Amino acid sequence: VLTNYLGGSGGIPDHLRIVNIYLQAVPREQTYQASMMVEGVWSTNIGKVDFSLDKIIGELYVTQNKVFGSMTAMVSLLVNENDTQTTKATFDVTAEYRQDGIWHFEGGLSEGTLSLLDFAYGFLGYEPSVELPTVLLTDLWMTYETSNIPTSRPFSARGALMIKWKPEVLDIILSAV
């Protein structure tokens, strides 16, 4: 599927490595814990945008009457223009099933700045013929939680954009940031 539709390798790359494994068992208390971290770059590209999975961490806990755990991933977006990297942003994404039976999802921009227009041009393979402002995503974080309370707000989001523009009007260059 990756090869046919996304131009990917179609399999798991050889250079992914398990860098940490943790196992713990306390049979008298009937509790067990396991975690694993995998690092490496598993990438595919769409147009001029490289998507890469850089790290995955999984944790699982088992007690006498509960099973809970989490999965965390670090995903990078790289936009390339004429073999030059123009944008790199790293996102962290986590899904956690807690002891109380609540699912908690969160993720956002953890490193870098994402030029939204470079991303769109690279992804679509089309660059407009007119000059547009630079639109940078400098902050993004979202959470969502399942809840047993119907009136609770299970989501939150925050973000910040920076817009830079230098249009020319009547042979005068204006600047807006």
Side-chain angles (χ1 to χ4, degrees):
V1 172
L2 288 174
T3 302
N4 289 336
Y5 297 103
L6 302 177
S9 64
I12 297 174
D14 292 335
H15 62 274
L16 290 180
R17 298 287 178 251
I18 297 171
V19 295
N20 188 349
I21 293 180
Y22 177 78
L23 300 170
Q24 179 182 19
V26 184
R28 287 185 184 178
E29 296 177 15
Q30 294 184 0
T31 61
Y32 307 92
Q33 177 182 354
S35 67
M36 180 170 70
M37 181 186 311
V38 177
E39 288 184 348
V41 176
W42 186 1
S43 66
T44 190
N45 68 2
I46 299 175
K48 297 176 183 178
V49 180
D50 293 331
F51 296 88
S52 70
L53 180 61
D54 303 333
K55 183 187 290 188
I56 284 186
I57 302 167
E59 297 177 307
L60 179 66
Y61 303 90
V62 180
T63 65
Q64 292 180 15
N65 57 0
K66 295 192 186 292
V67 175
F68 53 99
S70 67
M71 181 73 71
T72 300
M74 294 175 71
V75 179
S76 293
L77 297 176
L78 291 91
V79 179
N80 297 296
E81 185 67 41
N82 299 324
D83 296 324
T84 302
Q85 178 181 305
T86 60
T87 298
K88 180 179 182 186
T90 302
F91 293 85
D92 287 347
V93 181
T94 299
E96 176 185 20
Y97 185 70
R98 299 190 318 213
Q99 288 184 17
D100 58 4
I102 302 290
W103 276 100
H104 178 82
F105 302 94
E106 69 177 303
L109 183 63
S110 63
E111 185 179 315
T113 300
L114 181 61
S115 169
L116 296 179
L117 296 177
D118 283 353
F119 174 72
Y121 304 152
F123 191 74
L124 299 172
Y126 170 78
E127 195 159 334
S129 58
V130 296
E131 186 177 333
L132 295 174
T134 301
V135 181
L136 303 173
L137 180 64
T138 59
D139 181 35
L140 176 67
W141 201 261
M142 296 185 284
T143 63
Y144 175 78
E145 220 171 67
T146 61
S147 176
N148 299 330
I149 304 169
T151 59
S152 71
R153 292 189 179 180
F155 57 88
S156 69
R158 74 171 195 269
L161 291 175
M162 179 187 299
I163 299 173
K164 298 178 182 180
W165 194 24
K166 293 184 179 183
E168 188 173 324
V169 177
L170 302 173
D171 293 330
I172 300 172
I173 297 176
L174 305 173
S175 179
V177 176

